[in-house]
Amino acid sequence: MIFNPEYEAMEQGSLERLQFARLKNLVEKLYEKVPFYRAKLDAAGVTPRDIRCLADISKLPFTTKDDLRETYPYGLLACPQAEIEEIHMSSGTTGVPVVDAYTRSDVEAWGEAMARTLAGAGGTRNDTVQNCYGYGLFTGGLGVHYGAKSLGANIIPMSSGNTQKQLMVMKSFGSTILTCTPSYALFMAEEAAETGYDPKSMGIKAGCFGAEPWSENMRREIEEKWGIDAYDIYGLTEITGPGVAFECEAKDGLHVNEDLFYPEIIDPETGRVLPDGEKGELVFTTLTKEGTPLLRYRTRDVTFLRRERCSCGRTTVRMNRLFGRTDDMLIIRGVNVFPSQIEHALIEIEGTDPHYLIIVDRGPTHLDEVELQVEVKKELFSDETKGLETLRSRIEGVMKSKLGILLKVKLVEPKTIERSIGKAKRVIDKRKI
Ligand code: DLL
């Protein structure tokens, strides 16, 4: 079912007129109300009057994650602070977080976008959504929550973890839609099978999975293990959260909610806009956002756009499942981690050398596991093992508090990590996704 045919099945010309009107309005507002954007537009030599058609968007400057960090916490606010009703932050826990601030109307638009997403997976008001995305600053939990409310479905706000309880609740209340990361869906299915549940007869009919990379193979595995339809959903904190794009029953690309989020694909090297069908970096402009609207935000996610009609009747542009990222950001159990953050944390720990290797894999339980190999100074390595063990657990503690994730640290002798003459290879990602 199409949740909102007026916008999701809009005729192309009307959609473009709507997008243009919203874009123009946005640029005027940013120029007038956000000194950061006024300076950026001035530097690019563009004024709101230069935006005369939708294609003029390419004249506008990009916004980057660094811009967001530099303006933390409220430098990008485009409305009075009193109008902000909710704050979310990126899942990465180190450094300066990336903030998204929402007015009431932003939260409503988010609910609408997520209601469309759940409806794309066949959801209706008769469904019971078991939401196992984390509630809190992460956008997954509350995003799905608002969507289920807008859809009129029953929502069980489980948040992540506590798998046995998840299974018990699922069985007791007859949940029909499962929302969580794809790796957790697999983990849950296995834990169910091992503890006497039959995942296939739990009553779940569909799942909306995202927040981390996954593949067609993983989709097949999840669908087989649960006996459900598994749908890919996409979004990012900076651009509201989940609900930016979602799959429909055709499972053939993700429909972008483009009346709300205007997508472009650019060449990450030159910034040039690429035509439909060409792979590049995904860029979004928020068309209706009031709290922290963004102009041409560089997501660093790589995909391409397709405009041909979908069999479901929606006319919105589709983005392909993501191919990867243009930076080295890792997503570990849903937490965004940059290798540079690990490096910075290591520098502060005495006894270690700045040579390290991050090995990421999916453990037997399908959850991400990280081993961090760190070279130890020569003096220390010849030391007694007690000193090494203290250092090892100290590094694990520092990583846990700085990154918010548990790493298994392995101390290695000096010069054992392969040196490179070019760009150092810091990450080995063995996850078969
Ligand atoms: O992960 C929002 C979200 C929550 C999306 C629940 C879907 C479901 P962030 O924590 O800001 O927000 O991380 C955003 O995660 O730029 C992508 O690199 C990655 N990502 C999100 N969805 C997918 C997906 C949420 N379906 C970053 N496939 C994005 C691959 C995804 N990667």
Side-chain angles (χ1 to χ4, degrees):
M1 186 201 71
I2 301 182
F3 180 73
N4 192 340
E6 185 188 345
Y7 292 100
E8 294 181 80
M10 215 175 199
E11 183 264 317
Q12 187 64 23
S14 314
L15 176 65
E16 283 176 14
R17 279 191 293 280
L18 177 73
Q19 288 172 321
F20 172 62
R22 288 180 170 176
L23 175 69
K24 199 162 168 49
N25 192 22
L26 170 70
V27 178
E28 277 161 10
K29 187 161 79 178
L30 291 177
Y31 197 70
E32 196 186 312
K33 299 202 168 139
V34 185
F36 168 87
Y37 269 119
R38 177 184 279 257
K40 222 177 188 358
L41 289 163
D42 282 344
V46 202
T47 70
R49 265 179 313 191
D50 295 318
I51 306 304
R52 292 193 205 94
C53 64
L54 203 46
D56 283 341
I57 193 169
S58 65
K59 295 179 181 164
L60 297 168
F62 294 113
T63 308
T64 64
K65 215 188 224 351
D66 284 342
D67 291 332
L68 268 60
R69 293 203 164 118
E70 278 158 27
T71 51
Y72 175 88
Y74 267 150
L76 289 181
L77 214 59
C79 68
Q81 209 167 310
E83 282 174 29
I84 295 302
E85 292 202 343
E86 191 160 326
I87 296 281
H88 284 273
M89 286 181 210
S90 61
S91 48
T93 48
T94 32
V96 182
V98 161
V99 179
D100 196 350
Y102 309 66
T103 63
R104 180 166 301 177
S105 126
D106 291 338
V107 173
E108 276 165 16
W110 192 13
E112 157 85 23
M114 271 310 301
R116 295 180 193 173
T117 301
L118 292 167
T124 68
R125 61 181 300 276
N126 299 322
D127 280 298
T128 295
V129 179
Q130 181 152 342
N131 185 16
C132 326
Y133 285 113
Y135 279 66
L137 288 176
F138 177 54
T139 53
L142 282 158
V144 171
H145 193 93
Y146 296 138
K149 278 187 160 302
S150 297
L151 187 65
N154 179 13
I155 171 97
I156 311 185
M158 292 299 293
S159 202
S160 46
N162 208 343
T163 311
Q164 280 307 309
K165 190 162 180 189
Q166 300 272 7
L167 293 166
M168 188 191 82
V169 167
M170 188 179 283
K171 207 168 162 76
S172 316
F173 295 95
S175 308
T176 49
I177 295 184
L178 176 64
T179 55
C180 60
T181 57
S183 51
Y184 190 58
L186 275 180
F187 173 77
M188 238 176 157
E190 288 189 358
E191 180 134 334
E194 275 164 24
T195 52
Y197 292 97
D198 172 16
K200 282 202 177 78
S201 60
M202 294 291 265
I204 299 284
K205 61 176 195 190
C208 293
F209 306 116
E212 65 182 11
W214 59 310
S215 60
E216 282 307 316
N217 277 343
M218 252 179 107
R219 188 203 308 265
R220 221 165 299 127
E221 226 182 310
I222 294 173
E223 292 190 331
E224 270 164 25
K225 289 206 159 109
W226 282 101
I228 62 171
D229 280 304
Y231 297 91
D232 194 6
I233 69 170
Y234 169 81
L236 61 163
T237 314
E238 301 89 309
I239 308 292
T240 294
V244 173
F246 61 93
E247 278 184 333
C248 64
E249 69 262 22
K251 295 182 195 161
D252 184 19
L254 291 85
H255 289 276
V256 178
N257 277 315
E258 56 174 331
D259 55 312
L260 305 172
F261 315 109
Y262 185 80
E264 295 171 274
I265 298 290
I266 62 159
D267 176 334
E269 302 296 324
T270 63
R272 191 172 62 86
V273 178
L274 298 177
D276 290 345
E278 270 188 48
K279 212 157 111 178
E281 182 181 340
L282 184 60
V283 168
F284 279 108
T285 297
T286 59
L287 291 177
T288 60
K289 198 102 198 314
E290 294 178 342
T292 44
L294 296 182
L295 269 191
R296 306 191 84 201
Y297 181 68
R298 294 186 61 160
T299 66
R300 299 283 173 191
D301 290 321
V302 177
T303 184
F304 63 83
L305 297 177
R306 298 158 51 194
R307 244 166 260 274
E308 71 267 26
R309 284 289 161 94
C310 181
S311 54
C312 72
R314 289 175 184 81
T315 52
T316 42
V317 68
R318 276 174 288 169
M319 59 179 253
N320 196 73
R321 176 189 277 289
L322 293 190
F323 291 99
R325 295 183 51 87
T326 62
D327 59 14
D328 54 359
M329 186 179 93
L330 292 163
I331 302 179
I332 294 167
R333 298 199 183 189
V335 177
N336 301 346
V337 178
F338 287 93
S340 54
Q341 296 173 324
I342 294 184
E343 187 164 326
H344 284 138
L346 273 181
I347 287 169
E348 290 167 25
I349 304 175
E350 225 174 287
T352 62
D353 270 334
H355 295 292
Y356 63 94
L357 187 65
I358 304 160
I359 303 168
V360 194
D361 207 349
R362 289 250 151 96
T365 56
H366 296 286
L367 296 180
D368 299 331
E369 286 178 359
V370 186
E371 180 179 283
L372 174 65
Q373 297 188 354
V374 184
E375 278 187 17
V376 177
K377 290 209 184 311
K378 211 154 104 228
E379 315 82 81
L380 250 168
F381 217 88
S382 47
D383 210 1
E384 40 167 352
T385 43
K386 202 168 134 251
L388 286 176
E389 183 47 35
T390 313
L391 178 63
R392 204 188 61 76
S393 54
R394 173 141 181 263
I395 300 175
E396 286 188 350
V398 169
M399 294 299 159
K400 173 81 183 108
S401 74
K402 294 221 167 187
L403 304 172
I405 55 167
L406 255 173
L407 309 174
K408 220 170 80 211
V409 170
K410 185 175 168 196
L411 300 179
V412 296
E413 283 186 56
K415 301 217 166 53
T416 40
I417 291 173
E418 202 187 325
R419 303 295 193 260
S420 140
I421 45 164
K423 219 167 140 63
K425 190 165 173 55
R426 300 293 194 199
V427 181
I428 298 177
D429 199 338
K430 295 182 175 167
R431 290 176 289 190
K432 286 184 200 65
I433 44 177

